[in-house]
Amino acid sequence: MTEKKNKSAIQRRLIPTYIFLCIVSFISVFPLYWMISAATNTSTDVSRGRLLPGGHFMENFNNLVSQQPLWRSMWNSLFYAALTTVLCLLICSIAGYGFEVYHDKAKDRLFSILLLAMMVPQVATMIPLFQMFSKAKLLNTSIGFILPIISTPFMIMMFRQNARAFPIDIIEAARIDGLSEVKIFFQMFIPTMRSTYAAAAVITFMNAWNAYLWPKVIMTDNDAITMPMLIGNLITGYVTDYGMLMCGVLFCSIPTMIVFFVLQKQFAEGITGAVK
């Protein structure tokens, strides 16, 4: 009886906590629900604040497809984001691995200087980058899109911090067995740091997919339009069709949600620095 009373008392004390968590969960999920609901309503209903789903999704979708290059934008964003993610993971992981495994005082100073680049706003580099890429004739090219973002100080720092959990004894044993440095990295480091790569992949893919300012500057051709640029085009003009706009936002959000839900377990492990 005493144990039952203690359990019931504990459960009663946890009721405010559960209520608070339910409220926070509702606040977190509500924007997603409102986006999906608004995509099924007309522009007038969205303006009036209608929260219930409607029956105008296909109408909004047909208007979106007829007025904007939806599928081309989806393909461009997917291609740029996937290519950026692969190259960023390769380059930043090699840099982070090298800074940690072969570190000395000179590399530590170089890494400190590299971290200072995180304090420079991206907007401050737009004009020099545009002039540089314009002279190099890289406008409206995949190289011009991905080159400034395939290596970031944050990703290098993330891989270096997680590389500290990689056992140095394994590297030394592999060297004694005659394994080259390249094979140690690709056959031992990468498989061991799967969770870190998953977390970095989620962050890089979402940043590349949601990039708007730099693609808007570097991509002047309509055939190179990306999903964030398409959403921006829907907002411009004298009258905004909010139903069509939210339909476009829904399609823009689906790939990032899929990537996150597929890699959410590895993402959590990578952020906490788990190594298996």
Side-chain angles (χ1 to χ4, degrees):
M1 292 294 293
T2 304
E3 293 181 358
K4 292 182 179 179
K5 290 181 179 179
N6 292 334
K7 289 182 179 179
S8 61
I10 293 174
Q11 291 176 353
R12 285 194 298 269
R13 286 198 298 267
L14 290 177
I15 290 176
T17 303
Y18 292 147
I19 295 175
F20 173 75
L21 292 176
C22 290
I23 294 174
V24 172
S25 300
F26 174 78
I27 294 174
S28 301
V29 175
F30 179 76
L32 178 61
Y33 166 79
W34 187 82
M35 176 185 67
I36 298 174
S37 176
T40 63
N41 289 310
T42 63
S43 180
T44 304
D45 291 334
V46 176
S47 300
R48 291 176 178 175
R50 178 184 171 90
L51 298 179
L52 297 177
H56 300 273
F57 176 77
M58 291 306 302
E59 178 183 348
N60 294 330
F61 174 74
N62 292 330
N63 291 336
L64 178 63
V65 173
S66 61
Q67 298 182 22
Q68 297 292 334
L70 175 63
W71 304 122
R72 179 181 294 275
S73 302
M74 290 281 288
W75 166 251
N76 289 339
S77 292
L78 183 62
F79 173 75
Y80 294 140
L83 185 60
T84 300
T85 301
V86 172
L87 293 178
C88 182
L89 293 183
L90 180 63
I91 294 173
C92 292
S93 62
I94 292 176
Y97 177 83
F99 273 117
E100 180 59 28
V101 175
Y102 307 105
H103 76 276
D104 52 34
K105 292 184 178 180
K107 291 187 178 66
D108 290 339
R109 296 193 192 97
L110 179 61
F111 186 75
S112 300
I113 297 174
L114 182 65
L115 292 181
L116 292 176
M118 297 176 62
M119 302 180 184
V120 180
Q122 184 185 13
V123 180
T125 63
M126 285 295 165
I127 295 177
L129 281 176
F130 178 79
Q131 293 177 344
M132 185 187 307
F133 281 71
S134 179
K135 293 179 181 178
K137 297 181 179 180
L138 293 178
L139 300 180
N140 296 314
T141 62
S142 301
I143 298 177
F145 182 97
I146 67 175
L147 195 59
I149 56 179
I150 57 175
S151 179
T152 62
F154 175 78
M155 283 291 112
I156 295 175
M157 179 186 67
M158 179 178 174
F159 276 105
R160 186 189 181 184
Q161 292 299 116
N162 285 273
R164 293 181 176 179
F166 187 72
I168 301 298
D169 296 339
I170 296 179
I171 299 178
E172 295 177 352
R175 289 170 178 170
I176 293 174
D177 291 339
L179 204 64
S180 65
E181 299 296 326
V182 176
K183 290 184 177 180
I184 292 175
F185 178 80
F186 284 99
Q187 296 181 8
M188 300 180 65
F189 180 78
I190 291 180
T192 305
M193 309 297 292
R194 289 192 302 269
S195 58
T196 302
Y197 277 88
V202 171
I203 297 173
T204 305
F205 183 88
M206 295 180 70
N207 289 337
W209 180 274
N210 295 323
Y212 175 76
L213 185 57
W214 175 244
K216 190 71 173 178
V217 171
I218 198 70
M219 298 295 186
T220 58
D221 190 356
N222 290 330
D223 292 335
I225 187 173
T226 61
M227 283 302 297
M229 296 166 63
L230 182 143
I231 301 301
N233 292 340
L234 294 176
I235 301 175
T236 58
Y238 294 102
V239 180
T240 300
D241 188 337
Y242 292 105
M244 183 174 63
L245 173 63
M246 298 312 297
C247 185
V249 173
L250 176 61
F251 275 92
C252 185
S253 304
I254 289 175
T256 55
M257 289 190 293
I258 292 175
V259 171
F260 179 78
F261 284 127
V262 170
L263 300 175
Q264 60 178 333
K265 181 180 179 180
Q266 292 82 0
F267 175 80
E269 293 177 351
I271 292 297
T272 57
V275 177
K276 296 184 179 179

